[in-house]
Amino acid sequence: MTNHGDDALSSRTGAPDGDDRLSEDRSLVQQRLAVRELIDTEVSYLHVLQLCASDIRSRLQQLPQGDLDVLFSNIDDIIKVNRRLLHDLQETASREEEQVQLIGNAFLEFQEELEQVYKVYCASYEQALLLVETYRKEPELQREIQGIIEAVLPQAGPSGLSFLLVIPLQRITKYPLLLQKILENTLPDTSAYAVLQRATSALQDVVTNINEYKRRKEVASKYTKVEPLSLRERLARINTHTLSKKTTRLSQLLKQEAGLVPRTEDKEFDDLEERFHWVSLCVTELKSNMAAYLDNLEAFLRFRPQDCNLEIPGGPVVQYCYLARDLQLQAFPEFKQQLEAQVWQPLCSLAKTLVGPQNLIKKRLDKLLDFERVEEKLLEVGSVTYEEEAARHTYQALNSLLVAELPQFNQLAMRWLGQILCTFVTLQRDLAKQVLQRAEDSLAQLPHHHLSEPAFRKLVEDALGQTSHQLHSFQENFEKVLPPPTTQPLLPGAERQVQALLSKYGPGKLYQVTSNVSGAGTLDLTLPRGHIVALLQNKDTKGNSSRWLVDTGGHRGYVPAGKLEVYHVVPSEEELRGQARPHRDFQHQTPESTSALVPSVPTVTQVVAMYPFVARSSHEVSLQAGQRVTVLEAQDKKGNPEWSLVEVNGQRGYVPSSFLARAPSPAPWGWSLPS
């Protein structure tokens, strides 16, 4: 009886132990199934990614490379991270008792890497969908894409690209659910439970951070777009809402400047912004300097002294011309091409990438003013409208994005800038090395090649200094020494001026300008070649004898002494007749002898044309510069002296009087006043 009772008691007390064991076994089975689902789906997921990256992407050759970069984004980075994650998950199978805990540790280890790679992919997902929509508007292209996808991945179905693009998003959001399923079938009192709990929470945070990053990117992309709007389009966008916002921001800014409300301080962002502006300034300055460098290089390549005939046969000149021509045709053009491709274009690309962050920083200031106004209202009233709450979130999103990404952007921009500078220095060094290599043969045949570099430099400096001194001395002597007297033809209509200067100063003071003079100083005169002036003083106020003070008949000023020569006055016809008459009276010549002199005095005036003239009617006649003409009448029929009747090559007609000048050939009986 006693044994029977003990057995009954044992059976009653053993029933709960059996139920617990059965429940534990059931949980263990569910746990293993959940682990198997995690690993098996990871294998299938990674296989689909590899098909997208290798087979499908390589076959879509009809799409531009830029489209492929947007569609598949950083799928290669995702494959690398998930391949390592899968390897660690499969390694846990050999340690069955610790498998669940090892899985939790694996996800905790890959938390940051998963967030980084999927963050980039999710940020470009919306742009990829826009491309898919554009492909659907082209039926032929859509059929080609669909055929390629179905041949590689039949389970994609009619969704095609949309099915492939959403797979990484679905996978990253499914990790917390798979870990939660394993966690639900793990006993709370085990060590694996706490690890799985942390892993599940970590993956949920990853999904949350990715969604927040995606939202920030969408806000940022709205303000980084630069639309080239005309003034009319900008005015069309102005409405009462925009005016109200801008007025409110201006009011908030004025109150801050006046000290009525405090300004929000953000030391972390201010430091990042200052560093960004320094980077931007460096890029702008380098781009400006590089543009000037390329312009100077282009001007240098256009200058080719070796192509000119130096009239120095043989010797070093031949070697110099050969070397210069070789460098001009090969070394320097190659250097310029490499400079544009490896320095200028990357520098322009870097400058272009700065535009987006610059716009975000400017827009952040506007949103900060909105945020501060909403915060004030929230403290005063305790509530805000939906639009004001959206403005707060917009500022927070912009600020968080800039604080998170400006350090990386500044670092990458500095590295990019450093690479550009290193490339520029390397190209300069290679050019110098190439020039020296090409010059070795030519240098060996040049004189003084045996000298050391310091000795050769001193030799060149001494030679240049000596030559410069000789040239300077020659210039001074040339300006002081007057050229031999030659008679220049008078300018048109200058006879009256010459007569006025002659009567005022006498013939010994008249000089003629031998070449055009361009006055550089305040008292310097600008005179054309052939102008007659009267000498007032043969030096300036400082005692410089190379500058003479002259009178033009209307203005006084200084001209270079080297451009003046003594003017020899040629007598007019009346003076010649007056000189011949007393000569005849003194000799008591007969009328026959007088009549013999008359034909020697010209009855018409011989002049030359100083400028070309084209006849415009039958009453006019054409002239060529320097052509001798005969003046028949020094006025027209109305007595206007501005036109003269002339005869040229047997043709008669009118020409402007100002185009004519007296011929410089003196008569055989001519005379000249003493100078």
Side-chain angles (χ1 to χ4, degrees):
M1 292 291 292
T2 305
N3 293 336
H4 180 71
D6 291 340
D7 293 340
L9 180 62
S10 175
S11 62
R12 287 194 300 270
T13 56
D17 294 340
D19 293 340
D20 292 341
R21 190 177 301 109
L22 183 62
S23 176
E24 291 177 6
D25 293 341
R26 187 181 299 110
S27 297
L28 183 60
V29 172
Q30 293 295 329
Q31 184 188 77
R32 291 177 179 175
L33 289 175
V35 170
R36 177 53 51 192
E37 180 184 3
L38 171 63
I39 297 176
D40 290 346
T41 54
E42 186 69 17
V43 172
S44 176
Y45 167 66
L46 190 59
H47 176 67
V48 173
L49 288 186
Q50 290 172 338
L51 289 177
C52 291
S54 58
D55 295 356
I56 296 178
R57 183 170 59 180
S58 61
R59 295 186 184 183
L60 293 175
Q61 297 297 328
Q62 62 271 42
L63 298 181
Q65 184 61 41
D67 288 8
L68 294 177
D69 293 340
V70 174
L71 291 174
F72 296 96
S73 188
N74 63 329
I75 192 171
D76 295 323
D77 297 333
I78 294 177
I79 291 174
K80 292 178 183 178
V81 174
N82 280 84
R83 184 183 289 126
R84 290 169 43 227
L85 175 63
L86 177 60
H87 178 267
D88 290 356
L89 293 178
Q90 290 175 335
E91 288 290 326
T92 62
S94 60
R95 302 170 64 179
E96 185 174 347
E97 295 180 357
E98 304 175 1
Q99 185 177 17
V100 175
Q101 184 173 351
L102 293 175
I103 289 175
N105 289 331
F107 275 98
L108 287 175
E109 181 181 351
F110 280 88
Q111 173 188 358
E112 293 184 3
E113 292 187 66
L114 289 172
E115 180 176 339
Q116 291 299 324
V117 294
Y118 281 92
K119 182 187 294 183
V120 175
Y121 184 88
C122 294
S124 61
Y125 176 69
E126 295 296 333
Q127 190 176 358
L129 290 183
L130 294 177
L131 285 177
V132 174
E133 292 298 325
T134 59
Y135 299 152
R136 288 176 179 171
K137 297 178 182 179
E138 303 180 22
E140 185 64 26
L141 179 60
Q142 177 66 18
R143 282 193 295 270
E144 293 180 8
I145 297 174
Q146 188 67 25
I148 293 173
I149 296 176
E150 290 181 354
V152 178
L153 207 63
Q155 62 266 35
S159 299
L161 273 176
S162 300
F163 173 80
L164 299 179
L165 297 177
V166 77
I167 289 177
L169 275 70
Q170 294 175 340
R171 186 61 185 175
I172 191 63
T173 56
K174 197 171 183 180
Y175 283 135
L177 301 178
L178 293 172
L179 292 177
Q180 181 66 30
K181 191 173 183 181
I182 298 175
L183 180 65
E184 291 174 354
N185 293 284
T186 302
L187 296 178
D189 56 351
T190 61
S191 59
Y193 187 87
V195 176
L196 273 177
Q197 197 172 32
R198 291 201 306 272
T200 304
S201 176
L203 267 295
Q204 289 174 347
D205 292 341
V206 168
V207 174
T208 302
N209 293 339
I210 290 175
N211 288 332
E212 180 64 20
Y213 180 79
K214 184 172 178 293
R215 187 180 70 85
R216 294 174 186 172
K217 278 292 186 180
E218 291 174 352
V219 172
S221 63
K222 174 183 177 182
Y223 298 113
T224 52
K225 296 178 181 178
V226 180
E227 301 181 51
L229 300 177
S230 63
L231 179 60
R232 178 175 296 180
E233 292 172 337
R234 293 179 183 275
L235 293 176
R237 291 192 174 190
I238 297 178
N239 49 41
T240 55
H241 178 69
T242 58
L243 289 175
S244 175
K245 284 200 307 183
K246 293 184 182 300
T247 303
T248 305
R249 291 171 182 169
L250 181 59
S251 174
Q252 184 72 15
L253 185 61
L254 292 176
K255 287 191 293 184
Q256 289 180 356
E257 294 295 333
L260 301 178
V261 295
R263 186 192 303 270
T264 302
E265 298 291 340
D266 192 342
K267 186 67 168 58
E268 181 182 8
F269 176 80
D270 292 341
D271 293 341
L272 292 174
E273 182 185 11
E274 182 180 3
R275 184 171 180 82
F276 171 80
H277 284 312
W278 274 111
V279 174
S280 178
L281 179 62
C282 291
V283 172
T284 303
E285 289 294 328
L286 181 59
K287 185 179 178 183
S288 176
N289 292 335
M290 190 56 59
Y293 183 88
L294 287 173
D295 291 340
N296 293 333
L297 181 59
E298 182 69 26
F300 170 74
L301 292 177
R302 288 197 300 266
F303 181 68
R304 299 184 177 184
Q306 68 276 5
D307 294 341
C308 301
N309 184 12
L310 301 179
E311 297 181 356
I312 306 178
V317 175
V318 177
Q319 297 299 326
Y320 163 76
C321 291
Y322 174 78
L323 176 61
R325 189 175 294 107
D326 184 32
L327 296 176
Q328 196 84 17
L329 296 178
Q330 294 186 13
F332 291 121
E334 290 177 2
F335 170 72
K336 182 174 181 293
Q337 185 177 3
Q338 292 176 346
L339 196 66
E340 291 176 344
Q342 301 178 27
V343 176
W344 176 250
Q345 293 181 2
L347 189 59
C348 292
S349 300
L350 176 57
K352 189 179 295 183
T353 59
L354 297 174
V355 176
Q358 287 172 346
N359 292 336
L360 283 182
I361 291 174
K362 292 178 181 178
K363 185 56 64 174
R364 176 191 173 276
L365 177 60
D366 294 340
K367 298 302 178 183
L368 175 59
L369 295 174
D370 296 340
F371 174 79
E372 291 171 338
R373 181 183 56 82
V374 174
E375 288 294 311
E376 291 179 8
K377 181 179 179 181
L378 191 61
L379 291 176
E380 295 174 358
V381 181
S383 62
V384 293
T385 62
Y386 175 80
E387 183 179 356
E388 292 171 337
E389 186 67 24
R392 291 180 71 249
H393 291 163
T394 300
Y395 165 73
Q396 292 171 346
L398 278 179
N399 187 69
S400 301
L401 182 67
L402 288 172
V403 170
E405 295 196 353
L406 262 186
Q408 302 177 17
F409 182 88
N410 290 338
Q411 185 178 1
L412 290 175
M414 287 297 296
R415 190 183 307 169
W416 194 348
L417 187 61
Q419 290 292 338
I420 292 174
L421 289 173
C422 290
T423 302
F424 177 64
V425 173
T426 303
L427 289 177
Q428 292 274 28
R429 183 188 60 195
D430 294 343
L431 175 66
K433 186 184 300 183
Q434 186 178 4
V435 171
L436 288 178
Q437 289 175 353
R438 292 174 181 265
E440 285 180 355
D441 297 337
S442 299
L443 290 176
Q445 303 179 32
L446 293 177
H448 314 298
H449 69 277
H450 59 280
L451 296 178
S452 62
E453 182 177 351
F456 180 75
R457 184 184 297 274
K458 187 176 184 306
L459 176 66
V460 172
E461 290 177 353
D462 293 342
L464 290 177
Q466 182 180 1
T467 307
S468 176
H469 178 71
Q470 293 176 353
L471 182 61
H472 184 67
S473 300
F474 176 79
Q475 180 183 1
E476 290 182 347
N477 295 332
F478 181 80
E479 292 179 351
K480 292 180 180 178
V481 176
L482 296 177
T486 56
T487 304
Q488 299 290 339
L490 290 178
L491 293 177
E495 287 83 355
R496 294 183 180 178
Q497 178 191 359
V498 173
Q499 292 297 329
L501 293 175
L502 183 62
S503 61
K504 185 175 181 181
Y505 297 101
K509 294 290 186 178
L510 297 190
Y511 286 80
Q512 190 170 28
V513 180
T514 58
S515 61
N516 294 334
V517 177
S518 297
T522 306
L523 298 178
D524 293 343
L525 296 176
T526 299
L527 300 174
R529 178 176 178 268
H531 199 90
I532 305 300
V533 297
L535 176 63
L536 300 178
Q537 192 172 358
N538 58 357
K539 59 183 177 180
D540 60 9
T541 55
K542 296 181 179 180
N544 185 7
S545 59
S546 62
R547 296 174 71 235
W548 288 3
L549 179 64
V550 299
D551 183 5
T552 64
H555 301 280
R556 293 187 178 186
Y558 292 98
V559 295
K563 294 188 177 183
L564 295 177
E565 65 178 9
V566 177
Y567 178 68
H568 299 278
V569 181
V570 178
S572 62
E573 299 171 12
E574 290 76 6
E575 292 171 340
L576 290 175
R577 294 193 186 98
Q579 182 186 15
R581 185 175 301 110
H583 180 72
R584 291 196 303 271
D585 295 340
F586 180 76
Q587 296 292 338
H588 302 285
Q589 295 178 348
T590 62
E592 287 80 5
S593 62
T594 305
S595 63
L597 290 174
V598 174
S600 300
V601 180
T603 58
V604 291
T605 305
Q606 290 288 340
V607 298
V608 295
M610 293 297 295
Y611 307 100
F613 176 71
V614 179
R616 298 165 297 180
S617 66
S618 59
H619 301 288
E620 299 175 355
V621 65
S622 299
L623 297 177
Q624 298 293 332
Q627 188 176 17
R628 289 184 174 273
V629 300
T630 301
V631 178
L632 303 179
E633 294 181 9
Q635 58 188 8
D636 60 9
K637 294 181 178 180
K638 296 182 179 181
N640 184 7
E642 294 182 0
W643 291 89
S644 298
L645 179 64
V646 300
E647 182 177 354
V648 182
N649 296 332
Q651 296 183 357
R652 293 188 177 187
Y654 287 97
V655 296
S657 300
S658 59
F659 280 49
L660 304 176
R662 183 179 300 175
S665 58
W669 57 84
W671 55 274
S672 61
L673 295 175
S675 59

